Amino acid sequence: MTADAPSHFVKLNPATGEPLQSYACPTEAVIAQTVAQAQDAQTTWGQSTPRQRADVLKAIRELIYQQAQNLAETISLETGKPLADALEADIATALNVLSYYAEIGPHQLKSKWLKPDLMSLATGRLNRETWYPRGVIAIISPWNFPVAIACSGIAATLMAGNSVVLKPSELTPACGQQLIGLVQAGLTAGGYSPHIAQVLVGDGSTGACLLEQPLDGIIFTGSERTGQRVAETAARRNLWISLELGGSDPMIILEGCDLEQVASYALWGRFINAGQACAAVKRLLVPAKQEAALLDLLKAKIQQLQVGSPQEKESHLGPLISETQRCLIDDQVQDALRQGAKLILGGHAVDRPGFFYQPTLLSKVPPQARVLTEETFGPVLPVIPYHSLDQAITLANNTPFGLTASVFGPAHEAHQVAQRLQCGTVVINEVGPTNYALACAPWGGWKRSGAGFSHGAAALTDLSQRKVLSENLLFTLPFTRKPLWHFNQPSRSPGQRSQTVLALAARHPDLWWNPQRWWPFWQNRPSSKL
Ligand code: NAD
């Protein structure tokens, strides 16, 4: 651990700016001990059957369901998001992902027979693909959906038979502790060690120290900048890693849309969670001739949004997570204004305690402005006009990120646009953040938005090690004891046999469905002398 690592940190209430609680950061010895306990506990957990693990996941789901209100209150207090969002976006997603892996895990992790292969060097084989746990997985998570994101990683990690050490964001430590408390209760109820899932509360230096321990993999969700450092550590240590990073996601409105309807989608897609969502609508592209009408609609809708304490039922938007985050968003907005953007609404902090920022609407934003070139993690919506579909697609792809995009319009045209967008998910006639709630859909970014997947069967198999079991059935048969390619054949010079070997390798997929094609092979078969 570096000498400048803090021994404590204080978590502030984002809605008031007042301290909520002080936390001691774990020492290097505590971090090492936690990982050692996780290694130890994993040996038993890894030998359990997928069905037994599915039962534990269901038990965890029930505990979270029963404690949903308590957990939501902690989320709301620590993040500043309204209680309804904590319940419906964060906790509901966590429950859904636990259900999903409990359901697909036992099937997905069954060994699978592979399609027979006629390649001559490997003829006569029975091949099976089997799955084994990796070992100890560190999950480093962000604060914006502190339960949904951590739980997505935990559900897939545990289902695959690994143990987990969660390092939640220092901005949501109690969410991480409470979540792991419920996971441990589910594990112990099933007769398993609580060390299979543990939590280390600390800041980035705790995360960095955790990554130096004897781990078997890392799931990192966070900013592109930190992700880059974490990826460097993983590469140096040759560790498996999944990276879920930031985005600058476009929403494209095609011609012929009901503007009133799409404005409502854009409003929610941008301002949910006070704009602090990786897949939020961060750039809104609209046909130039509809720009003015759309801006009027958005302005009217944004004016109706209530910014206020997350405890007040009327609030649509709470505060931003921290003063640092509020300053960053304000810097990005002021940069756009300096470069000639037009401010239609908002553009400054709300004058009250806490880290509130006004929902902001911008137009005429120059392409080099930071709100377009960087991720904007706050309530700022730039509207960009386009003159042709090609231009819209070029503008949408003109970003180093590639997390999600959304396209609104007639389905056929929207699908054609979707084909040309460079990102991990394209949502048609819906906005990006909703897709994170889909446990079945692999979630991952292109370009600098990440590598690897959370959710879907892909996450489960990525968290497992494959082993192929390949058995030579010819070994025990008396008439095939000497394969054609062994040294003890009379001739090894390339001749007819080699031609047959090549033809089998190149053509054998056709042979399966068209038996007539066997005939030339039979006619030209290698001589029986070979
Ligand atoms: P962050 O990068 O600041 O922190 C993420 C986590 O990394 C925290 O737990 C932090 O303590 C830890 N950390 C910091 N430095 C570290 C280091 N050197 N080594 C190891 N761990 C370290 O991100 P954030 O502000 O918490 O989250 C917001 C970002 O996350 C946004 O960019 C957002 O787009 C992204 N995000 C992405 C997804 C996705 O699915 N792609 C989901 C949610 C959030």
Side-chain angles (χ1 to χ4, degrees), residues 37-97:
Q37 286 169 334
Q39 267 178 330
D40 208 31
Q42 193 276 328
T43 50
T44 324
W45 178 244
Q47 285 162 17
S48 61
T49 65
R51 194 147 299 281
Q52 289 167 327
R53 293 179 220 146
D55 288 342
V56 172
L57 255 54
K58 288 179 198 163
I60 296 168
R61 181 190 61 192
E62 285 317 300
L63 288 164
I64 295 178
Y65 186 45
Q66 285 160 18
Q67 291 297 316
Q69 187 66 25
N70 275 344
L71 195 51
E73 281 167 14
T74 308
I75 296 171
S76 177
L77 189 66
E78 286 199 325
T79 62
K81 72 177 78 179
L83 202 61
D85 290 345
L87 285 164
E88 292 165 24
D90 235 303
I91 299 184
T93 300
L95 295 174
N96 187 41
V97 99

Side-chain angles (χ1 to χ4, degrees), residues 270-271 274-275 302-303 305-308 317-320 325-326 329-330 333-334 343-352 354-362 377-381:
R270 173 67 271 200
F271 297 108
I302 293 172
Q303 278 168 332
L305 289 177
Q306 297 288 328
V307 180
L317 277 78
L320 300 191
Q325 201 57 40
R326 181 163 72 168
I329 270 292
D330 194 50
V333 170
Q334 301 316 321
L343 180 68
I344 295 176
L345 267 184
H348 53 85
V350 180
D351 187 17
R352 59 177 284 171
F355 313 129
F356 294 86
Y357 198 82
Q358 291 203 326
T360 298
L361 182 62
L362 296 172
F377 219 57
V380 177
L381 181 59

Side-chain angles (χ1 to χ4, degrees), residues 218-230:
I218 304 165
I219 297 177
F220 175 83
T221 310
S223 63
E224 194 256 336
R225 209 168 59 130
T226 314
Q228 179 71 38
R229 295 173 68 181
V230 171

Side-chain angles (χ1 to χ4, degrees), residues 177-423:
Q177 286 177 327
Q178 225 170 311
L179 175 64
I180 288 294
L182 294 168
V183 173
Q184 288 181 331
L187 284 162
T188 47
Y192 296 97
S193 163
H195 291 154
I196 295 165
Q198 298 176 84
V199 61
L200 285 170
V201 159
D203 68 352
S205 56
T206 301
C209 179
L210 172 60
L211 298 185
E212 296 300 333
Q213 305 305 316
L215 300 169
D216 301 289
I218 304 165
I219 297 177
F220 175 83
T221 310
S223 63
E224 194 256 336
R225 209 168 59 130
T226 314
Q228 179 71 38
R229 295 173 68 181
V230 171
E232 281 164 17
T233 306
R236 171 168 52 77
R237 303 201 45 216
N238 199 14
L239 282 175
W240 173 85
I241 186 166
S242 155
L243 289 169
E244 302 288 356
L245 309 179
S248 179
D249 298 3
M251 168 172 160
I252 304 177
I253 300 174
L254 303 180
E255 279 193 35
C257 284
D258 173 349
L259 280 191
E260 164 74 33
Q261 191 186 16
V262 290
S264 297
Y265 275 88
L267 188 83
W268 189 87
R270 173 67 271 200
F271 297 108
I272 176 74
N273 218 31
Q276 303 166 114
C278 55
V281 173
K282 292 176 184 145
R283 296 172 295 140
L284 181 55
L285 296 148
V286 58
K289 58 186 174 206
Q290 291 178 306
E291 185 192 8
L294 181 73
L295 284 170
D296 286 346
L297 281 166
L298 284 169
K299 185 176 173 187
K301 286 180 187 294
I302 293 172
Q303 278 168 332
Q304 286 168 20
L305 289 177
Q306 297 288 328
V307 180
S309 159
Q311 272 70 51
E312 287 159 17
K313 286 204 174 69
E314 299 74 35
S315 300
H316 298 111
L317 277 78
L320 300 191
I321 189 74
S322 63
E323 184 57 25
T324 313
Q325 201 57 40
R326 181 163 72 168
C327 288
L328 173 60
I329 270 292
D330 194 50
D331 283 352
Q332 290 172 321
V333 170
Q334 301 316 321
D335 165 79
L337 297 180
R338 268 196 307 278
Q339 301 207 44
K342 183 174 170 199
L343 180 68
I344 295 176
L345 267 184
H348 53 85
V350 180
D351 187 17
R352 59 177 284 171
F355 313 129
F356 294 86
Y357 198 82
Q358 291 203 326
T360 298
L361 182 62
L362 296 172
S363 70
K364 304 200 183 323
V365 182
Q368 69 281 8
R370 288 173 59 196
V371 289
L372 299 186
T373 58
E374 299 174 1
E375 176 176 45
T376 47
F377 219 57
V380 177
L381 181 59
V383 175
I384 307 156
Y386 69 83
H387 296 275
S388 70
L389 218 46
D390 282 345
Q391 190 196 10
I393 292 164
T394 306
L395 287 167
N397 287 335
N398 185 21
T399 166
F401 297 104
L403 189 56
T404 79
S406 50
V407 187
F408 283 76
H412 178 67
E413 204 179 342
H415 276 278
Q416 285 184 332
V417 173
Q419 308 272 352
R420 297 171 60 191
L421 295 175
Q422 298 162 352
C423 55

